[in-house]
Amino acid sequence: MSTSAETGAQTGQGVSPEATPVQGSASADPVLSVRDLAITFPSPGSRSGERDKVVDGVSFALPEARTLAIVGESGSGKSLTAKALMGLLPETARIDQGQAILNDGGETRDLFQLDGRRMRAVRGDRIAMIFQEPMSSLSPFHTIGQQVEEVLEIHEGESGKAAKAKCLEQFKRVGFPSPERAYDAYPFELSGGLRQRAMIAMAMICRPKILVADEPTTALDVSTQALILDLIDQLREDSQMSVLLITHDLGVVANAAHYVTVMSKGRVVEAGATADVLSDPQHLYTKRLIAAAPHIEASLSLEKSGFAYEDLIFEAKDLRKTYVSRKGGFWAPPQQIPALRGVDMRIPRGKTVALVGESGSGKSTVAKIAMRQEAPDPGGSLSYNPGDGPQDLANLTSEQLSSFRRQVQIVFQDPYASLSPRMTVQDILTEPMLIHQEEIPEFKSRSARIDRARALMRKVSLPDEMLGRFPHAFSGGQRQRISIARALALEPKLLICDEPTSALDVSVQAQVLDLLEDLRSELGLSYLFISHDLAVVARLADEIAVMCRGVIVEQATTEKLFAAPEHPYTQALIAAAPEPDIDKPLDLAKIAAGAGAEPERWPEPFAYPRETPAPMTEIAPGHRVRKAA
């Protein structure tokens, strides 16, 4: 994607409309101009009608047929700005000042002055929006075809066969492998990437002038993210529409945007052509966002200790798991769905083994079995060694199982969903101690439990006076620190981290990784770190196992894996990690060849039939790859 270097970065408390990047665009006049926007909310606890500005003096211009990215961390005001343009602000929010001038074929109108009826005519027709989480944005009770057809009926009055034909054509355009199947499918029957394609199809069906994409790839695998970004850019170019991309990731910006506006605490702090801002950032906040983005080279430069298998805390051999589905009707025979097919894994004490792969690869199934939340199929073995000898996890007594669950804890992906909204942080942290007080006598004392909770808060760098607050009062990064503190409450020896940073901003993600690294050194913890992003695990992992469709396709120490990735799937995951550098664009051909292909379509000698995986072959000491001998 080419970018203009004619507009330099702007710094300061705000950027004027005249300073925003419009030069070098396809049209002299921007398709959308936002000027001096201010959004307020009622001040908490105020009885005098006072209001707080959460968006303050925001201005930018969106050129025709170009992509402008608005970048910032959670709470910066970027999503509120986008929702204001769509007329979707919460009831308590108010636009106190500003204009949003839409230039639609020479006709101009201020979006903030439109009444409800006229705004509904614009929304979905001239301006469409893609939301961050497609599963919560799509109706679970209607098929994808019905939901896309509804947009056509509302805005263009089309229904029946003509509407279906347009839907199928749109599904084909956004890359559905089977448009007819997608038309009849419900959202839960589609993968995350296909659900996002359905959202894009819905947004594009009326050929909008502007597409607002609010974190459209945050919840997706890195490989799927790359393909979705490429799809949006292709649609932009084909339709000559403009894209307003909301994101916290400057790596995404480098690969998807012509221009960028950086927001912090409700204000614009820097704006310009993407090439200029990323190559020569002027504002400290922009520099910090760039520095926080995962860099594989920088992570590999960190010194790691040696890796050996003499003292294992966890070992799995020939791990298999098959689920049974009765989809197809009451009388249809059950379907066998293999989730894991012969997984071998070893975690040395005090080390971090990362399990990396896309959604559906089997990573979380391994975590569930390792936690004894699910039982594996017969035939394999699963053992845990607390330090006095290995225990067979399939044959633990109730007392041994209770001890095992104290020593192996998990940190989940979404801290907001995993923390009870009805419990204070103190109750959240002391609950595990209360449950296990019979096995740990010192936890029978309430004062001892509270003292332990205070110590845990300090250990994860949070003030202990926050113990009385509820989870909603914390930021996403703070909630994840609380989740880590809860996992540490019973002094575990093995911590399973299931995508612990994927829902976080890149800067907060870096802080959480720093914390996990410090805790491992301080407490002598062992980690099973699950992720879809190789760039994230590069700095933390001692060894990486790459999973695809229920099998490990490559496994090696971190240095060996990145120095010489052998498998096309591993190469695709590395290529899919975006960096905030326009000179390092995503290699879409490599991504599609590895992550986008079925195992039988991988190049020789890596291809294998879906039912019969190729064997693991050692190509160098400590480096194994699944390929034909």
Side-chain angles (χ1 to χ4, degrees), residues 140-221:
F141 304 109
H142 300 86
T143 65
I144 299 298
Q146 289 172 332
Q147 295 182 64
V148 178
E149 278 189 9
E150 182 183 30
V151 179
L152 275 175
E153 186 171 358
I154 291 172
H155 291 286
E156 298 186 2
E158 286 198 62
S159 59
K161 293 182 179 180
K164 181 177 181 179
K166 280 193 175 183
C167 283
L168 293 176
E169 178 61 32
Q170 192 66 41
F171 289 163
K172 183 179 179 181
R173 190 181 179 200
V174 300
F176 272 104
S178 176
E180 287 279 358
R181 182 181 174 188
Y183 182 88
D184 294 323
Y186 288 89
F188 67 87
E189 296 179 297
L190 302 178
S191 67
L194 290 181
R195 284 197 293 265
Q196 196 62 286
R197 289 176 187 269
M199 287 289 297
I200 294 171
M202 186 183 302
M204 293 294 299
I205 195 70
C206 290
R207 303 171 301 281
K209 190 77 173 175
I210 297 172
L211 179 65
V212 180
D214 188 5
E215 300 276 12
T217 61
T218 298
L220 303 178
D221 301 325

Side-chain angles (χ1 to χ4, degrees), residues 266-397:
R267 293 173 176 261
V268 174
V269 297
E270 189 161 355
T274 302
D276 296 337
V277 173
L278 295 186
S279 62
D280 187 24
Q282 299 299 305
H283 198 277
L284 182 62
Y285 180 74
T286 311
K287 294 178 181 179
R288 186 161 65 86
L289 285 181
I290 294 174
H295 292 266
I296 291 175
E297 291 84 356
S299 298
L300 292 178
S301 67
L302 299 175
E303 185 177 348
K304 292 183 173 69
S305 58
F307 190 82
Y309 290 110
E310 283 80 12
D311 184 16
L312 298 180
I313 190 171
F314 177 87
E315 184 175 19
K317 293 181 180 179
D318 197 26
L319 202 61
R320 297 175 183 272
K321 181 64 180 178
T322 304
Y323 293 101
V324 177
S325 171
R326 292 192 175 275
K327 182 181 175 183
F330 184 79
W331 299 107
Q335 293 179 309
Q336 302 288 320
I337 303 174
L340 299 178
R341 294 180 288 175
V343 171
D344 295 334
M345 177 170 294
R346 295 178 290 177
I347 304 177
R349 198 176 308 278
K351 300 296 183 180
T352 298
V353 173
L355 199 56
V356 181
E358 297 173 293
S359 297
S361 62
K363 311 184 303 295
S364 293
T365 303
V366 172
K368 290 175 183 176
I369 292 175
M371 287 289 296
R372 277 293 308 267
Q373 293 178 344
E374 291 190 2
D377 294 348
S381 66
L382 199 65
S383 66
Y384 167 73
N385 186 351
D388 54 1
Q391 299 175 347
D392 182 1
L393 295 184
N395 298 296
L396 295 181
T397 65

